Amino acid sequence: MHDEIAQTLTGINVQLAALKAEAMVNVKGLQKKIARTQRMVEKSVDIVHRFARELRPTVLDDLGLIPALHSFVKGFSKQSRVHVRLTVYAAVEQLDNARRTVLYRVAQEALTNVARHARASLVDVSVEKLPHSICMKIRDNGKSFQVNRVLDIKKNKRLGLLGMRERVEMVGGSLRVESAPGKGTTSAPRFHSPTATGFSVYETHHRPTEGCS
């Protein structure tokens, strides 16, 4: 999302520079270029609005984490054509807003990384109750990478992974990331939660939408 915004704003800057040069030699050509720049501005506004909705969707506040995850993975599966299985321990809704938001953002970032890098066909997203803690797992069947190398290098192509770890640690949690050839990658944020009770489970599958034949 950051790259998309940056590319659009860079394009606007290029168009404005061209307009400045054009104004000196060809006044008639300005109208078309101004209209093109206006469309680029409108596109950037739409991107920012979409970015804001994805950072914290209204369904997360109105209905909770489980409906928010369901909505996101459904859209992700449709767009990426990756099959996603979602299984959620219902008492996760007892977590405070900050931690539920972090779980949503981690799932969002992990699935985005899957779409960009993993070449996976299947992702399992689960939220489990463990002794004294709640753990989310995002596990894919795609290609692996060197986790330590990615986390130790500041300038890398997977800044989202560093952001995931920082978000989780800011609210008192921990993030485990494992990746191995033939086994894909698992990202697992965990929060201490000694008081969570209840064992009902929400489960759903989201398969890529097939095209019409």
Side-chain angles (χ1 to χ4, degrees):
M1 185 69 72
H2 173 270
D3 291 341
E4 190 177 357
I5 295 173
Q7 290 172 5
T8 303
L9 293 178
T10 299
I12 292 173
N13 191 44
V14 170
Q15 286 294 321
L16 291 175
L19 285 174
K20 183 178 180 181
E22 189 76 21
M24 299 179 181
V25 294
N26 183 12
V27 177
K28 293 183 178 179
L30 284 178
Q31 188 172 2
K32 289 184 178 180
K33 291 189 175 181
I34 289 174
R36 186 182 304 119
T37 304
Q38 287 176 326
R39 288 194 295 271
M40 295 181 72
V41 171
E42 291 171 356
K43 179 182 177 182
S44 67
V45 171
D46 290 340
I47 292 171
V48 170
H49 286 166
R50 176 157 52 90
F51 187 34
R53 289 195 299 270
E54 291 182 357
L55 277 175
R56 187 170 182 85
T58 56
V59 67
L60 185 59
D61 293 320
D62 297 339
L63 301 177
L65 176 62
I66 295 175
L69 285 174
H70 171 80
S71 177
F72 177 74
V73 299
K74 181 179 180 180
F76 170 84
S77 183
K78 181 178 180 180
Q79 183 175 7
S80 67
R81 304 190 67 78
V82 176
H83 180 195
V84 181
R85 295 189 299 221
L86 175 65
T87 306
V88 184
Y89 163 68
V92 68
E93 299 291 4
Q94 296 178 20
L95 289 175
D96 58 73
N97 288 338
R99 292 183 177 186
R100 286 188 290 128
T101 299
V102 167
L103 286 179
Y104 177 84
R105 293 289 290 120
V106 168
Q108 183 184 51
E109 192 65 53
L111 287 172
T112 298
N113 284 340
V114 168
R116 289 178 178 174
H117 307 291
R119 299 178 184 173
S121 61
L122 174 65
V123 182
D124 282 304
V125 180
S126 64
V127 179
E128 307 170 357
K129 176 68 174 70
L130 303 175
H132 307 299
S133 66
I134 287 181
C135 179
M136 169 181 275
K137 291 183 180 179
I138 304 100
R139 183 173 62 244
D140 68 65
N141 67 347
K143 67 177 184 178
S144 61
F145 63 95
Q146 296 180 354
V147 176
N148 291 336
R149 184 167 177 266
V150 169
L151 289 175
D152 288 345
I153 297 176
K154 292 183 179 180
K155 294 182 179 180
N156 59 74
K157 295 181 180 180
R158 291 177 186 253
L159 291 175
L161 191 60
L162 296 172
M164 286 163 56
R165 184 175 66 177
E166 291 175 356
R167 287 189 185 95
V168 172
E169 291 178 350
M170 283 179 63
V171 292
S174 61
L175 177 68
R176 175 176 57 86
V177 181
E178 297 178 348
S179 190
K183 295 184 178 180
T185 300
T186 299
S187 302
R190 179 181 295 190
F191 296 114
H192 183 64
S193 181
T195 59
T197 59
F199 288 91
S200 56
V201 172
Y202 172 89
E203 182 173 3
T204 185
H205 290 221
H206 292 285
R207 298 180 182 276
T209 303
E210 298 294 337
C212 297
S213 58

